[in-house]
């Protein structure tokens, strides 16, 4: 029996891509020694690419070119490429980079496995090789998107919205809980559209409620909610169900009526403001994360200042700002990308400067509070964790000085917040939670 070859799977892009890598890696264990995002030398490399916008595409192409260079130098036997860039530009990539052993799209698991000489094991579908710390995991509840936001290439890459059945999702949740997962981050391209295709109506609230019944799951976090036709029953669930974090990631993208119309978001300024006010009224301590785009075609200084005023007035707890990227194949590609790069950067900086102060002020209000914190890791003399108001990798963290009292990674503690910083909190454990 020849020794097992080593395979390294590299994931670029978003958490949805990460899940695709985890599903692939779960199928490989019999034939390969499986590594994820490793710098170690391997026999085979699979690059799960991102093809969303310019910078991400560049990063993916660089990774492919490095890999084929390593293969040329004999440091790698085989290189395979999957994911969104490969889905979007398969023909061009095949033409231009002939030394790659295979390019695959986003829905080609059987084909990838065949190329790796591995049989698809149906009994393992719904299982993943979890790459996040074992106490939290992402849960993708659907694939693709039926929306037509003018700046977005995702529907071109990931296709139409396709919900997983509730049974399939609950099976996956039970698998994750059996591996020690306590916190689930629900993700999709359009989370709140869940169920429309297979149940004829939005079923996200019922799905979340069923997930909360799975023993072991303690926190459920909602990402990528869509603002138009927002299912308000989710707010009721947030209020009533202690396992549903008072946290909502809801990209709003802009506030100007003209720009929201051009973006085909299906909701204008008034609708957006009414929704934000409704959420804040229904769930007063809900933390809102949103995403905004600056420099969209034709964006005037007045329209940008309208956005600044909106952020100043509604004070989002968490904010991501992106510069508009002119993406071929998207509806907005027909428009002139007429906002200069420096102006885009200047607007991004001004918005993040404002947000830094807002984040600090909101963090200050948490001083003295007792908050439930999950410990993610130990680092530099601190235990580092998060409250229900913080998603991993993108939001604030709680730093607890290592006082010699050992804390367990993946466990919950009640922490008294003592000091606030711009994007982090410092605190002390008062009891186990
Ligand atoms: S909702 Fe809009 S921005 Fe989000 S994936 Fe769909 S088309 Fe893209």
């Amino acid at each position: 029996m020849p020794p097992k070859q080593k395979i390294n799977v590299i994931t670029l892009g978003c958490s949805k891509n990460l899940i695709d890598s985890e599903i692939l890696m779960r199928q490989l264990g019999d034939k390969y020694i499986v590594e994820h995002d490793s710098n170690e030398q391997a026999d085979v490399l699979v690059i799960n690419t991102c093809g969303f916008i310019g910078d991400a595409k560049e990063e993916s192409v660089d990774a492919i070119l490095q890999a084929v260079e390593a293969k040329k130098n004999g440091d790698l036997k085989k290189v395979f490429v999957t994911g969104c860039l490969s889905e979007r530009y398969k023909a061009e990539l095949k033409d231009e980079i002939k030394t790659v052993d295979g390019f695959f799209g986003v829905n080609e698991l059987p084909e990838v496995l065949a190329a790796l000489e591995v049989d698809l094991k149906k009994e393992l579908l719904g299982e993943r090789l979890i790459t996040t710390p074992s106490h939290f995991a992402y849960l993708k509840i659907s694939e693709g998107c039926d929306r037509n936001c003018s700046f977005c290439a995702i529907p071109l890459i990931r296709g139409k919205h396709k919900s997983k059945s509730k049974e399939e999702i609950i099976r996956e949740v039970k698998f994750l809980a059996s591996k020690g997962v306590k916190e689930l981050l629900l993700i999709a391209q359009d989370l709140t559209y869940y169920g429309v295709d297979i149940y004829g109506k939005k079923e996200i609230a019922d799905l979340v409620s069923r997930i909360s019944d799975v023993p072991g799951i303690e926190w459920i976090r909602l990402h990528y909610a869509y603002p138009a036709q927002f299912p308000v029953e989710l707010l009721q669930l947030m209020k009533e169900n202690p396992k549903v974090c008072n946290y909502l990631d809801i990209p709003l993208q802009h506030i100007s009526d003209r720009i929201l119309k051009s973006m085909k978001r299906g909701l204008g300024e008034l609708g957006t403001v009414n929704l934000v006010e409704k959420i804040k009224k229904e769930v007063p301590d809900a933390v809102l994360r949103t995403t905004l785009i600056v420099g969209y075609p034709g964006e005037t200084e007045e329209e940008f200042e309208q956005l600044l005023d909106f952020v100043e007035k509604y004070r989002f707890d968490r904010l991501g700002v992106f510069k508009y990227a002119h993406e071929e194949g998207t509806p907005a590609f027909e428009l002139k990308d007429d906002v200069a790069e420096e102006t885009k950067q200047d607007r991004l900086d001004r918005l993040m400067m404002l947000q830094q102060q807002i984040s600090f002020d909101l963090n200050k209000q948490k001083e003295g509070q007792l908050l439930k914190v999950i410990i993610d890791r130990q680092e530099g003399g601190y235990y580092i964790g998060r409250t229900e108001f913080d998603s991993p990798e993108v939001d604030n963290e709680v730093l607890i000085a290592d006082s010699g009292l050992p804390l367990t990674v993946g466990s919950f503690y009640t922490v008294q917040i003592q000091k606030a910083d711009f994007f982090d909190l410092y605190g002390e454990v008062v009891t186990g939670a």
Side-chain angles (χ1 to χ4, degrees), residues 145 147 149 151-152 154-155 189 226 265:
C145 186
R147 310 267 177 191
C149 304
F151 51 83
C152 182
I154 292 175
Q189 309 299 357
Y226 194 84
R265 293 289 288 175

Side-chain angles (χ1 to χ4, degrees), residues 186-206:
L186 267 58
I187 58 174
Q189 309 299 357
D190 180 353
L191 194 87
T192 36
Y193 198 72
Y194 175 78
V196 174
D197 54 326
I198 53 177
Y199 303 116
K201 60 186 174 67
K202 291 183 176 170
E203 287 284 304
I204 182 71
D206 178 64

Side-chain angles (χ1 to χ4, degrees), residues 356-372:
Q356 181 171 302
Q357 193 53 48
I358 291 171
S359 177
F360 184 63
D361 298 347
L362 294 172
N363 276 352
K364 286 293 279 179
Q365 291 168 13
K366 292 205 166 43
E367 287 181 348
Q369 288 187 15
L370 292 176
L371 296 174
K372 184 177 178 179

Side-chain angles (χ1 to χ4, degrees), residues 16 52 144-156 158-159 188-191 224-227 251 253 263-265 293:
K16 284 153 250 167
F52 183 39
C145 186
D146 284 2
R147 310 267 177 191
N148 187 27
C149 304
S150 64
F151 51 83
C152 182
I154 292 175
L156 300 172
R158 294 271 169 174
Q189 309 299 357
D190 180 353
L191 194 87
Y224 306 102
Y226 194 84
Q253 308 301 4
M263 285 179 164
K264 302 179 192 296
R265 293 289 288 175
I293 292 177

Side-chain angles (χ1 to χ4, degrees), residues 96-275:
E96 283 155 31
I97 317 177
K98 296 204 177 343
T99 33
V100 164
D101 297 278
F103 287 99
F104 302 92
V106 293
N107 297 315
E108 294 189 300
L109 177 64
E111 290 79 3
V112 178
L113 291 172
L116 294 167
E117 295 163 11
V118 170
D119 300 328
L120 172 69
K121 293 174 251 339
K122 288 212 162 58
E123 70 280 12
L124 295 182
L125 291 176
E127 299 192 8
R128 292 151 41 189
L129 196 153
I130 303 169
T131 59
T132 47
S134 60
H135 56 277
F136 76 81
Y138 295 97
L139 180 72
K140 183 158 54 172
I141 65 171
S142 64
E143 188 56 277
C145 186
D146 284 2
R147 310 267 177 191
N148 187 27
C149 304
S150 64
F151 51 83
C152 182
I154 292 175
L156 300 172
I157 301 169
R158 294 271 169 174
K160 284 291 180 195
H161 183 100
K162 201 164 173 296
S163 302
K164 290 182 185 174
S165 73
K166 292 177 187 173
E167 295 69 30
E168 197 186 337
I169 292 171
I170 296 301
R171 216 176 18 252
E172 191 173 340
V173 171
K174 287 182 176 158
F175 165 77
L176 295 168
S178 75
K179 298 290 176 193
V181 170
K182 296 175 181 168
E183 177 185 2
L184 282 174
L185 295 92
L186 267 58
I187 58 174
Q189 309 299 357
D190 180 353
L191 194 87
T192 36
Y193 198 72
Y194 175 78
V196 174
D197 54 326
I198 53 177
Y199 303 116
K201 60 186 174 67
K202 291 183 176 170
E203 287 284 304
I204 182 71
D206 178 64
L207 174 69
V208 171
S209 177
R210 291 179 189 219
I211 291 172
S212 73
D213 294 337
V214 175
I217 300 301
E218 299 209 22
W219 273 356
I220 301 166
R221 195 177 294 286
L222 307 178
H223 279 272
Y224 306 102
Y226 194 84
Q229 303 95 33
F230 180 84
V232 290
E233 58 274 20
L234 263 184
L235 304 178
Q236 202 56 32
L237 198 59
M238 256 184 209
K239 264 195 298 200
E240 290 161 1
N241 189 323
K243 292 190 176 181
V244 181
C245 296
N246 284 349
Y247 176 96
L248 186 64
D249 167 34
I250 181 162
L252 297 171
Q253 308 301 4
H254 212 284
I255 194 59
S256 137
D257 265 334
R258 183 194 71 80
I259 291 183
L260 285 168
K261 193 153 185 286
S262 174
M263 285 179 164
K264 302 179 192 296
R265 293 289 288 175
L267 195 68
E269 178 185 358
L270 187 58
T272 303
V273 164
N274 288 347
L275 176 61

